[in-house]
Amino acid sequence: MDINKLCEERSLLTKEAEKERDTLAGINKEIKKRKEYIRSLHLLEENRYDNAQAQKQYNGLLHLLKKYQIEMEDLPESFRQMTRAVQDAGRGLEFGQKGEDRAAEAIELLGSRVLSLQNLRLKYNNLDIEHDLVIIAPTGIFSIEVKNKRHNGTISEKGILKCGAHSENLIEQIRRHTNSLSRHLEDIYKKQPQMKQKLKVYPIILWANDRSNVKDHFREVPVCYINRLEYELFKKDKYTAHLSRNEMEDIRNRLKKKKQQNRLYPLCVDRDYLEELTEYCLSELKKEMEATTRRLRINEYDIRVLDKKIQQKEKGLFSRIGELFHRDGI
């Protein structure tokens, strides 16, 4: 092979090597971009969010798995289990939000007949309670526990709600919430003793999903389906506060002034899980980087081999030229 062909081959290999270097630069840029994106989600457990923010974060995390085409079947069971916990947490928040939205729609249908406060967080001494919904009606003040469950439920005689594998102590929640609200109202109106008889707080469990049923064996607290809320609230023989419109508005406004910022919760994501997730999101890029680096090294080796051949050809050429000059006596 003459020196011109060797130089042409070297030129082609040099162009290929430059392409591989450009590819590597692009991969490194994408790796950096993905890492920055994952960091921007602020998923570590020391960060705290309200329910709407948390739902957005969980959706963003699960979007990563889809976006970067991570095959869950190929990953360790511990990682899959944690991912399922994230999915369950996200679905739980989404379902809870739908329940609150349905409750808000039911309240809206009642128009000006009632006043309401959603997600009312109140602090009193050591009690820090967040009420799903507080309704102020002519008949009384209602602390509403909104339950939006995917499965049919049963409330035992002791007030334990069971839905699927999940269970919770409703009577404990209800006592905390009604006692908290009653104490706040007593404190607010302590200089107006004439209001004491009207500050009656009644609990209601509002079952927000009309596609599931609940069997109630508890009986002490009414369980009300979303489409029956209006009828429950206006049972004058059962609820006897007799609040005027001005009194209703005054109660709502005073409670509103006491409202605290929504409680913030940590996400169920720890540092180890996030590090694993990051690695899995980068795995395909890293494989591509290894293959590209391998091709680049082969090209660089071939270029060095060609450089030696070219040097030998040039040395032989200069040697022959020298011989010609020597033979001709130049």
Side-chain angles (χ1 to χ4, degrees):
M1 186 180 290
D2 62 32
I3 193 169
N4 289 331
K5 287 185 178 180
L6 289 173
C7 288
E8 287 176 7
E9 187 176 346
R10 188 189 187 284
S11 178
L12 289 173
L13 284 174
T14 301
K15 288 179 181 178
E16 287 180 15
E18 285 302 317
K19 286 181 182 178
E20 301 295 2
R21 290 190 187 96
D22 289 342
T23 300
L24 279 177
I27 293 171
N28 279 314
K29 186 176 180 181
E30 179 62 21
I31 286 175
K32 184 180 178 182
K33 181 180 175 183
R34 289 189 188 185
K35 285 182 176 179
E36 288 176 350
Y37 176 66
I38 294 169
R39 279 196 295 269
S40 74
L41 295 175
H42 302 297
L43 293 167
L44 290 181
E45 60 186 355
E46 58 261 35
N47 292 292
R48 303 175 76 82
Y49 305 89
D50 64 25
N51 288 346
Q53 290 172 322
Q55 189 178 339
K56 183 179 178 182
Q57 299 303 94
Y58 285 136
N59 288 341
L61 187 151
L62 296 171
H63 178 66
L64 286 175
L65 301 173
K66 184 177 180 180
K67 181 177 181 179
Y68 300 130
Q69 299 178 336
I70 298 172
E71 295 295 335
M72 295 298 294
E73 294 78 11
D74 301 332
L75 302 182
E77 174 58 28
S78 58
F79 184 83
R80 284 186 283 168
Q81 187 174 352
M82 188 64 209
T83 302
R84 285 194 292 270
V86 169
Q87 291 170 332
D88 289 344
R91 281 196 292 263
L93 289 173
E94 183 181 0
F95 218 70
Q97 185 60 52
K98 285 180 179 178
E100 290 183 14
D101 292 343
R102 293 206 68 203
E105 288 172 8
I107 297 301
E108 193 174 345
L109 289 174
L110 296 176
S112 61
R113 297 166 68 194
V114 301
L115 301 173
S116 65
L117 293 164
Q118 277 192 292
N119 302 121
L120 177 65
R121 183 186 176 196
L122 299 171
K123 285 185 179 181
Y124 187 87
N125 294 335
N126 295 327
L127 281 176
D128 183 354
I129 303 294
E130 190 166 327
H131 300 264
D132 291 343
L133 178 63
V134 172
I135 296 176
I136 304 156
T139 48
I141 302 151
F142 297 87
S143 175
I144 313 290
E145 289 286 329
V146 180
K147 299 298 176 186
N148 192 35
K149 302 295 184 181
R150 283 172 283 182
H151 306 291
N152 293 338
T154 301
I155 303 176
S156 71
E157 293 177 357
K158 294 182 178 181
I160 306 298
L161 170 63
K162 290 187 177 180
C163 286
H166 178 74
S167 66
E168 57 185 295
N169 191 331
L170 285 185
I171 188 60
E172 199 169 302
Q173 290 180 29
I174 290 163
R175 281 175 180 161
R176 282 201 310 269
H177 288 202
T178 53
N179 288 341
S180 167
L181 191 53
S182 293
R183 287 179 185 179
H184 269 88
L185 290 168
E186 287 172 10
D187 188 56
I188 289 170
Y189 287 99
K190 62 186 176 184
K191 293 183 180 179
Q192 294 173 253
Q194 72 277 11
M195 283 290 291
K196 188 173 182 180
Q197 294 302 317
K198 295 194 171 189
L199 300 176
K200 297 180 179 181
V201 177
Y202 302 104
I204 292 178
I205 299 167
L206 183 61
W207 197 262
N209 186 6
D210 56 8
R211 295 183 180 180
S212 65
N213 299 312
V214 58
K215 291 181 180 179
D216 180 23
H217 302 290
F218 183 49
R219 305 299 181 189
E220 292 184 30
V221 177
V223 178
C224 181
Y225 289 94
I226 201 89
N227 59 353
R228 300 290 302 174
L229 180 61
E230 177 181 0
Y231 303 104
E232 183 65 36
L233 291 175
F234 290 98
K235 288 181 178 178
K236 293 182 180 180
D237 57 332
K238 186 176 182 180
Y239 308 117
T240 58
H242 303 297
L243 291 167
S244 69
R245 183 67 189 185
N246 287 340
E247 288 169 338
M248 289 167 58
E249 290 178 355
D250 188 60
I251 291 169
R252 192 267 310 271
N253 293 338
R254 293 197 190 203
L255 285 174
K256 203 171 182 179
K257 286 180 181 178
K258 293 276 186 179
K259 182 178 181 180
Q260 304 289 314
Q261 182 183 2
N262 287 353
R263 189 178 294 150
L264 302 180
Y265 301 91
L267 301 181
C268 65
V269 179
D270 61 25
R271 189 176 298 276
D272 290 340
Y273 177 77
L274 188 59
E275 288 177 356
E276 284 188 68
L277 175 68
T278 303
E279 283 303 307
Y280 296 139
C281 288
L282 301 177
S283 59
E284 290 301 318
L285 286 174
K286 288 186 174 181
K287 287 178 185 177
E288 189 180 345
M289 178 184 283
E290 288 176 6
T292 304
T293 301
R294 194 179 303 114
R295 290 194 301 269
L296 177 60
R297 286 175 179 170
I298 291 170
N299 282 337
E300 289 175 339
Y301 175 79
D302 289 343
I303 288 170
R304 289 196 297 272
V305 170
L306 282 174
D307 284 341
K308 287 181 181 179
K309 289 181 179 180
I310 290 170
Q311 287 174 4
Q312 289 172 356
K313 289 282 186 181
E314 287 175 342
K315 191 182 290 184
L317 180 61
F318 289 138
S319 177
R320 286 196 295 276
I321 291 171
E323 288 175 2
L324 287 173
F325 281 127
H326 179 72
R327 189 179 58 190
D328 295 338
I330 297 175

